[in-house]
Amino acid sequence: MLKALTQRFDHPDGAKLLLRLTFSGLLLFHGIHKALPGGDLGFIQDLLIKAGLPGFIAWGVFIGEILCPILIILGIFTRWAAIIVSFTMLMAVALANGTQIFTLAPTGAWIIESAAFYFLLGIVLFLLGGGRYSVMSNPDYR
């Protein structure tokens, strides 16, 4: 009975689709917020300048938090887009929370919890690929 139940609900490609939609859908909110007037883009530029980097690099956040999530949702270059998102999250932690990695927020959560969530799920999607329910049907691009 357990084997029959397991076989009935064994849908790895459906799970990959759900993972892609959840991960990218939630990340898009962060990217869209930065794109709106009054978003965090100026804050990011200031962090970059303080770190000795050119402020225009802040525009890369739109690649990591808007373009790549859209590609992941569609299943286009999923692996590459996911690794770019993970790199974006590493940069976010390094710039904004570099000294607070081992700190808890007042609510008890890890201060870099959301960045770690997106970083690790980006790695998972890089390793898994997009699955069968992708726009690009060539398995090499999933």
Side-chain angles (χ1 to χ4, degrees), residues 1-12:
M1 184 172 154
L2 185 57
K3 183 178 178 182
L5 185 64
T6 301
Q7 287 176 341
R8 177 130 173 94
F9 292 103
D10 185 28
H11 297 289

Side-chain angles (χ1 to χ4, degrees), residues 101-125:
I101 292 176
F102 300 108
T103 306
L104 295 179
T107 59
W110 190 20
I111 200 82
I112 63 166
E113 184 174 286
S114 66
F117 171 79
Y118 289 115
F119 170 77
L120 292 171
L121 286 183
I123 298 297
V124 168
L125 276 170

